[in-house]
Amino acid sequence: AQSVTQLGSHVSVSEGALVLLRCNYSSSVPPYLFWYVQYPNQGLQLLLKYTSAATLVKGINGFEAEFKKSETSFHLTKPSAHMSDAAEYFCAVRGTSGGSYIPTFGRGTSLIVHP
Amino acid sequence: NAGVTQTPKFQVLKTGQSMTLQCAQDMNHNSMYWYRQDPGMGLRLIYYSASEGTTDKGEVPNGYNVSRLNKREFSLRLESAAPSQTSVYFCASTGKGRADSGNQPQHFGDGTRLSIL
């Protein structure tokens, strides 16, 4: 069985500050890991993905995430927050189930950016 | 390129009514999924279809049925709507080529906002 835990349902930062959104996973096999972003009244969009090629993954809009196997973590960071980064962020893991790669999502973290 | 298209975008039903949510993708994806999103609960998988002709239950299938009409279309049906099914429903797809290798991301529609009174 696989699971994803996102620490903090809400994270609040000032514009220009570091963004850190935490994600820990459990998986019985080497996982494929994803971060998605959801803007109001929209579906989820891919930010970045880890597929074992490199532990530090760069995504769109200046975000990056580091895969740490020893800590079973895949935290999302951005050096400097913009107002436009305010959104809901979801971490997801894809593991196998009967030959199908079923995704499991965390409960999401709402990023609030203050001027 | 439309991606994943969901219809309708909004719907209000009365308890006991039935309804079908439609989803179509134009990316030649093999796998399609239906989720519901509720505040604080993230996305919960209702049903999925790993390939044309197959469907399987997800985490919260009770009260729902699905049909994989063809490779492009995957519909979700509520036979007798209940207030607990008030939610935002998302369809997603993934998996180009012969098989889904797991490293491909999902593509999501913009959702159907469903209220059941």
Side-chain angles (χ1 to χ4, degrees), chain B residues 39-111:
Chain B
M41 300 296 292
L43 273 75
R44 292 183 292 170
L45 183 64
I46 304 171
Y47 271 93
Y48 67 98
S49 171
S51 61
E52 186 178 357
T54 69
T55 60
D56 285 286
K57 295 178 180 179
E59 180 186 356
V60 289
N62 291 345
Y64 305 95
N65 286 300
V66 290
S67 295
R68 183 75 182 264
L69 304 171
N70 48 54
K71 190 170 186 178
R72 291 186 63 249
E73 298 172 286
F74 189 40
S75 62
L76 178 71
R77 183 161 179 84
L78 287 70
E79 290 291 352
S80 179
S84 61
Q85 294 177 304
T86 293
S87 187
V88 182
Y89 291 85
F90 287 99
C91 177
S93 70
T94 191
K96 284 185 179 180
R98 288 183 176 273
D100 179 7
S101 58
N103 64 352
Q104 298 179 49
Q106 292 175 295
H107 296 254
F108 286 81
D110 284 337

Side-chain angles (χ1 to χ4, degrees), chain B residues 11-18 79-83 114-117:
Chain B
Q11 185 70 46
V12 178
L13 294 178
K14 294 181 179 179
T15 297
Q17 287 185 315
S18 62
E79 290 291 352
S80 179
L114 183 61
S115 293
I116 299 163
L117 307 177

Side-chain angles (χ1 to χ4, degrees), chain A residues 39-103:
Chain A
Y39 299 104
N41 298 317
Q42 294 185 24
L44 280 67
Q45 304 170 33
L46 180 69
L47 267 181
L48 50 80
K49 67 177 183 180
Y50 168 75
T51 58
S52 77
T55 57
L56 183 62
V57 182
K58 294 187 183 297
I60 62 171
N61 301 337
F63 284 93
E64 61 182 36
E66 186 173 8
F67 172 70
K68 292 187 176 181
K69 184 176 179 180
S70 61
E71 299 178 6
T72 60
S73 69
F74 190 55
H75 301 330
L76 183 70
T77 61
K78 182 174 181 178
S80 177
H82 295 167
M83 297 295 291
S84 59
D85 293 328
E88 189 88 14
Y89 292 81
F90 291 93
C91 182
V93 60
R94 293 192 76 192
T96 59
S97 173
S100 298
Y101 288 87
I102 306 304

